Amino acid sequence: MSKITIAIDGFSSTGKSTLAKQLAKALGYVYVDTGAMYRAVTLFAMRNGFIGGESEKLEDLVQLLPKIKLRFEPNEALGFSEMYLNGENIEKQIRTLEVSNYVSRVAEIEQVRYKLVEMQKEMGKEKGVVMDGRDIGTVVFPDAELKVFMTASPQARATRRYKELLDRGEKVSYEEVLENVQKRDFIDSNREFSPLRKADDAIEFDNSDMGLKEQFERLLSIARRFIEKA
């Protein structure tokens, strides 16, 4: 059976990564979490004082982009791959609200997007890949056989993200999380380079009122139909 490229785009905290992981596992495909890549660059920028302080020094981040080495390494115990930055496992560090507050700002930098898009294209060139992000179906793989655009109300997404952060032990308020979700929506949708938008041929998938099991079963059914047609 032919393998296809599956591009999953959408707003923050719609559960793209969770669904994409499950889908890739069910199909025997490779999963690529592009959001983790942008979060890794953001963590690098924060650690080096380029963002998150009193002033931004993003031009210095651009100068150091060649020194940023990213890779995904499988964790058999967890059942998915984790993000490594210059040889360090940073999977936990990149999932904080602090990183979330700055990732959209870093992701709108043209040079950052160019570097990571080239890496993503290389990762998916053999097909048999499920990749999620903001511009997969519009920029990274505009010819993907299956494109999905995930959306949900800001309130539904903030509630999910809030519970997730509390489960990880972070001390945050729902209001903080909702503000972060809305801020990221605005930046992602209005940036100059590769803004978040639904591809013309993408299937819109609103999961505001869906549980994870229902989402997965629906998406798996859609994917199998597209694979059969390939």
Side-chain angles (χ1 to χ4, degrees):
M1 186 175 292
S2 299
K3 289 189 174 183
I4 66 173
T5 298
I6 301 175
I8 302 179
D9 292 306
F11 293 98
S12 67
S13 301
T14 48
K16 296 187 302 297
S17 297
T18 299
L19 274 177
K21 283 177 190 174
Q22 291 181 319
L23 186 62
K25 185 176 182 180
L27 296 174
Y29 279 24
V30 173
Y31 166 63
V32 179
D33 179 359
T34 66
M37 299 171 73
Y38 287 100
R39 285 175 173 269
V41 177
T42 301
L43 182 65
F44 178 89
M46 291 168 63
R47 285 178 169 180
N48 286 277
F50 301 148
I51 197 169
E54 294 182 358
S55 62
E56 291 185 350
K57 303 175 184 176
L58 296 179
E59 66 280 358
D60 293 337
L61 169 62
V62 171
Q63 293 300 317
L64 289 183
L65 283 178
K67 295 185 178 297
I68 297 177
K69 307 300 179 186
L70 304 178
R71 77 173 192 274
F72 289 99
E73 191 167 305
N75 184 322
E76 299 300 333
L78 295 176
F80 60 85
S81 295
E82 296 180 299
M83 187 80 253
Y84 280 72
L85 167 64
N86 293 339
E88 176 192 356
N89 185 327
I90 57 165
E91 188 64 30
K92 290 183 179 179
Q93 294 93 319
I94 62 174
R95 303 300 177 180
T96 65
L97 184 60
E98 186 178 13
V99 171
S100 295
N101 282 332
Y102 297 111
V103 64
S104 290
R105 178 73 183 94
V106 170
E108 68 179 349
I109 300 170
E110 180 181 15
Q111 295 90 337
V112 172
R113 298 207 71 83
Y114 180 82
K115 175 184 176 74
L116 298 193
V117 165
E118 290 304 304
M119 293 175 66
Q120 292 154 14
K121 286 181 176 180
E122 183 66 22
M123 291 174 181
K125 67 180 182 180
E126 300 299 327
K127 295 186 178 288
V129 64
V130 180
M131 193 173 292
D132 73 285
R134 301 289 191 281
D135 61 351
I136 311 304
T138 55
V139 175
V140 183
F141 291 114
D143 296 326
E145 290 85 350
L146 172 56
K147 301 176 187 177
V148 177
F149 188 86
M150 292 183 63
T151 184
S153 70
Q155 292 75 19
R157 292 184 281 131
T159 297
R160 293 171 189 164
R161 181 69 172 151
Y162 176 59
K163 291 178 179 177
E164 180 182 302
L165 291 170
L166 289 183
D167 288 343
R168 290 179 183 165
E170 286 205 47
K171 295 181 179 180
V172 296
S173 69
Y174 170 78
E175 289 73 22
E176 284 181 284
V177 179
L178 178 59
E179 181 182 0
N180 172 258
V181 165
Q182 293 171 328
K183 177 182 176 183
R184 291 182 66 188
D185 286 352
F186 180 82
I187 295 175
D188 292 342
S189 301
N190 291 278
R191 65 187 176 218
E192 183 178 358
F193 305 105
S194 302
L196 169 65
R197 64 177 180 84
K198 175 180 172 288
D200 292 338
D201 54 348
I203 296 171
E204 185 164 325
F205 197 87
D206 188 327
N207 64 8
S208 298
D209 301 312
M210 285 189 218
L212 189 56
K213 185 174 185 292
E214 181 184 359
Q215 294 177 54
F216 170 66
E217 289 175 349
R218 286 195 187 186
L219 194 54
L220 180 60
S221 176
I222 292 169
R224 283 176 170 161
R225 289 205 308 269
F226 274 76
I227 291 170
E228 288 173 1
K229 291 191 299 184

